[in-house]
Amino acid sequence: MSRTVITVKTNASRDSVLQFLSVELPRLGYTDRSTPTERIWGKNDGVMVKGQRISVNFQPGEVYLSAWLHDALTGESDLRGIVAKPIKSHLKQVVDQIAAGIAALPAAPFSIPQNVIYCSVCGNACKPGSSFCTRCGSRL
């Protein structure tokens, strides 16, 4: 999987980030295409026009936005290169806009415990020493 990943430093809660994304991305034409293990928003189907995809992952103090193009023949491609340059440039602008919005969100009113491990796929808080997430089963 070839994806462009942008890291956003924030102290906003996971819920406020997801609320922001669930309002802003549909406003920009992206629909929720989440899977049981990953939060994804997308535009186009990847058959006639290259599909644009944005996903989000969480770690304490950071939000990772992944962006890529998808089509039926070649699969995923990151936002580098000259193939489909106008679409890649537009998607990069959208991701930068979303990243700026997330960075501007207010901080969560409570502090995050330092000894808790968070799943990089679903953001679930897991017990220290755990090898797998209790919510989605992903390896920690």
Side-chain angles (χ1 to χ4, degrees):
M1 293 190 300
S2 184
R3 299 178 178 187
T4 300
V5 179
I6 295 175
T7 303
V8 181
K9 301 279 186 193
T10 183
N11 287 326
S13 70
R14 180 179 183 271
D15 292 335
S16 65
V17 171
L18 288 174
Q19 176 66 27
F20 172 76
L21 292 173
S22 67
V23 171
E24 284 299 309
L25 288 173
R27 188 180 64 78
L28 296 170
Y30 292 83
T31 58
D32 189 2
R33 296 175 185 229
S34 297
T35 65
T37 59
E38 189 173 25
R39 294 290 307 212
I40 300 174
W41 287 267
K43 186 187 247 188
N44 302 327
D45 61 358
V47 176
M48 297 299 285
V49 178
K50 284 195 175 276
Q52 302 172 33
R53 303 289 186 262
I54 299 172
S55 73
V56 62
N57 293 308
F58 298 93
Q59 286 294 326
E62 295 180 330
V63 175
Y64 298 103
L65 294 173
S66 301
W68 68 96
L69 294 183
H70 172 78
D71 69 54
L73 296 176
T74 60
E76 294 183 6
S77 62
D78 61 11
L79 303 183
R80 294 176 292 158
I82 60 171
V83 176
K85 186 67 174 174
I87 298 173
K88 289 179 179 181
S89 296
H90 177 264
L91 184 55
K92 178 75 170 129
Q93 289 175 352
V94 168
V95 171
D96 289 341
Q97 176 184 349
I98 294 299
I102 291 172
L105 290 173
F110 57 89
S111 63
I112 299 172
Q114 296 300 320
N115 61 349
V116 177
I117 299 172
Y118 291 87
C119 176
S120 62
V121 175
C122 69
N124 184 42
C126 300
K127 293 180 182 177
S130 299
S131 297
F132 296 96
C133 177
T134 55
R135 180 186 294 164
C136 69
S138 297
R139 187 157 186 78
L140 299 176

